[in-house]
Amino acid sequence: MTVSQKKCILVGVTGGIAAYKICSLVSSLKKDGHEVHVLMTKEAEEFVGPLTFQTLSGNPVIRNMFSLQDGAEVHHIALAGKADAFVIAPASANVIAKIAHGIADDMLTTTFLAAACPKLIVPAMNTHMLENPVTQDNIALCRRYGMYVMESASGYLACGDTGSGRLPEPHQIKDALESLLVEHWLEGKKVVVTAGPTMEAVDPVRYITNHSSGKMGYSLARAARNAGARVILVSGKTALEAPFGIETVSVRSAQDMADAVLRESGDADVVIMAAAVADYTPKDTADHKLKKSDSDLYIELKRTTDILLTLGQRKKPGQVLIGFAMETEDLLANAAGKLEKKNADFIVANSIAEAGAGFGVDTNRVTILSQNGEKDLGLLSKDETAEKILAYCLKEG
Ligand code: CTP
């Protein structure tokens, strides 16, 4: 996910073997165009050299409270004021204890205490230290003060133990951080998003499906989450990781997807049908694997439930329905037909014939149709396309 507006992000690094993983987080945030400042404790410097973070962030690393070069002691307070988000990763048990109690005895904790922006804490430590009730109480206290504390991952730890306490992967930390960077203009709203292909079983080993990667739907789900919505993602089988902070319901067939969406949409404010739902499914699914013979095989197909059409028929006042139309010809005429027939508020249309749009790629070019006309968003990344679809359909359109 990429937040398209450029932000000022403070990254606090404390002492722990996982500190090296933060190099790629800093690099990735910088590549997205954000202003990134790294603050290190002296223990962190035992694991990664400040020069590495300075080079990756393009800014001097803030390290020592008492070195007055370049007015650093004033600079860090100024930074606290302008920061859009502050992440501490890895967060040691020690720093968690300090920030839970307002202790500010070095540059990192002082700046943290002075910052009023959204804050993300990413604990990483030995399992027993994490599970210690003292640490758990400190984490609960941080949450009570409004900080977001990520669950740590489980697995093999550098100390030789296996269990919780591992630092989540940098892209997962970035995903969590980005959810703090956007204004929460969808706070209090429930948004249901579908994504990916459906799989229609022919027999226990074979199925009919399509090329959908699910990327567009996942981008929409994350963009809605970033805007503060409660998001339910109903996903067909994809290679994508379940996004942070989103309730993901995994489904296989069109009927499974219909059941999940119709169950979740009753009280939803917005439903976005980005999934490539099969229009047909085998009339009968064989109980046993079909054996080949010398003659051709014919599989009889029947229509599936048209989920968007059903939602359109049941639409409650104020509910917004957004459908997709992927076409190879007559894009706008076909999309306009779907808008009308399915009683959708918006149809997001794209042509797979267009360069940079379609299956598997990270970009898209869509035109949004509604009763008020049409809007071409131009060629953008799927993440930016998602942000713009939400803004157009739910704010401007
Ligand atoms: N859709 C749905 N249920 C289905 C099929 C599609 O909800 N059984 C939704 C898709 O998620 C998408 C929109 O309907 O939002 C696409 O409309 P549709 O007319 O089904 O498009 P195609 O499947 O491409 O159909 P056609 O072959 O008629 O173009």
Side-chain angles (χ1 to χ4, degrees):
M1 181 79 197
T2 308
V3 169
S4 51
Q5 292 156 310
K6 306 309 166 206
K7 303 287 186 177
C8 175
I9 300 168
L10 307 192
V11 181
V13 184
T14 72
I17 183 64
Y20 77 92
K21 288 190 179 178
I22 302 309
C23 297
S24 67
L25 173 70
V26 168
S27 160
S28 171
L29 292 170
K30 173 79 178 157
K31 261 189 222 144
D32 287 350
H34 298 301
E35 179 184 337
V36 186
H37 297 271
V38 178
L39 302 94
M40 299 179 80
T41 60
K42 64 180 188 325
E43 291 80 12
E45 292 186 26
E46 302 292 328
F47 294 92
V48 181
L51 186 58
T52 305
F53 283 123
Q54 178 166 321
T55 310
L56 293 171
S57 68
N59 281 312
V61 170
I62 300 161
R63 349 171 7 200
N64 187 345
M65 183 85 144
F66 305 106
S67 88
L68 295 183
Q69 67 218 16
D70 307 326
E73 84 292 4
V74 182
H75 178 58
H76 80 282
I77 296 294
L79 270 183
K82 78 183 267 213
D84 295 299
F86 199 138
V87 53
I88 302 186
S92 61
N94 190 44
V95 86
I96 291 172
K98 286 198 219 172
I99 60 176
H101 293 88
I103 295 172
D105 63 352
D106 61 9
M107 206 67 134
L108 194 160
T109 47
T110 312
T111 313
F112 191 84
L113 193 62
C117 59
K119 293 167 175 171
L120 177 70
I121 312 302
V122 193
M125 65 193 76
N126 165 274
T127 305
H128 302 298
M129 289 172 81
L130 181 66
E131 287 172 356
N132 189 312
V134 176
T135 306
Q136 288 299 314
D137 281 354
N138 287 336
I139 288 175
L141 203 50
C142 288
R143 288 195 169 119
R144 222 176 72 210
Y145 287 124
M147 302 172 209
Y148 297 84
V149 184
M150 263 184 107
E151 293 299 333
S152 53
S154 288
Y156 177 76
L157 302 172
C159 56
D161 280 352
T162 301
S164 57
R166 263 176 75 92
L167 191 81
E169 292 307 313
H171 71 272
Q172 294 169 318
I173 300 173
K174 190 176 171 214
D175 196 23
L177 180 61
E178 287 180 336
S179 71
L180 306 185
L181 288 174
V182 175
E183 186 204 334
H184 282 185
W185 60 278
L186 284 176
E187 188 86 63
K189 303 283 184 198
K190 176 177 178 183
V191 178
V192 177
V193 182
T194 67
T198 62
M199 295 160 79
E200 308 304 319
V202 172
D203 69 12
V205 289
R206 302 174 179 100
Y207 53 82
I208 301 169
T209 191
N210 58 64
H211 290 297
S212 170
S213 66
K215 286 183 179 174
M216 194 62 243
Y218 276 60
S219 291
L220 281 158
R222 287 193 304 262
R225 173 208 63 194
N226 291 352
R230 176 184 164 217
V231 182
I232 314 287
L233 173 63
V234 181
S235 175
K237 193 167 193 296
T238 72
L240 306 172
E241 201 174 294
F244 161 81
I246 292 177
E247 214 177 296
T248 304
V249 183
S250 299
V251 296
R252 291 178 87 84
S253 68
Q255 191 55 51
D256 294 343
M257 185 168 279
D259 292 343
V261 173
L262 297 176
R263 187 177 63 236
E264 290 292 347
S265 59
D267 60 347
D269 300 283
V270 183
V271 184
I272 307 177
M273 287 296 306
V277 189
D279 290 319
Y280 293 92
T281 190
K283 202 161 183 183
D284 299 300
T285 302
D287 289 337
H288 299 286
K289 186 183 164 199
L290 295 177
K291 302 303 283 182
K292 63 180 166 294
S293 71
D294 289 337
S295 51
D296 291 342
L297 172 71
Y298 295 90
I299 300 171
E300 206 177 339
L301 302 176
K302 64 178 183 191
R303 281 297 310 270
T304 54
T305 304
D306 190 322
I307 307 170
L308 186 57
L309 183 82
T310 313
L311 291 168
Q313 289 162 346
R314 300 182 176 182
K315 193 162 66 170
K316 290 185 315 176
Q319 192 175 52
V320 179
L321 277 189
I322 304 174
F324 272 70
M326 185 179 255
E327 308 289 346
T328 53
E329 54 194 358
D330 299 330
L331 176 71
L332 298 181
N334 280 325
K338 289 173 190 178
L339 183 74
E340 200 62 42
K341 181 177 166 213
K342 304 196 184 202
N343 192 26
D345 298 290
F346 299 92
I347 291 286
V348 181
N350 68 349
S351 163
I352 50 170
E354 184 110 15
F359 298 117
V361 292
D362 290 324
T363 52
N364 207 350
R365 178 174 181 171
V366 304
T367 301
I368 306 176
L369 285 87
S370 71
Q371 297 299 348
N372 298 333
E374 57 194 56
K375 173 141 177 108
D376 179 359
L377 298 186
L379 185 66
L380 296 168
S381 72
K382 284 188 173 164
D383 288 339
E384 284 171 299
T385 303
E387 282 184 34
K388 290 213 157 35
I389 290 172
L390 294 186
Y392 181 78
C393 298
L394 305 177
K395 262 191 201 167
E396 307 152 18

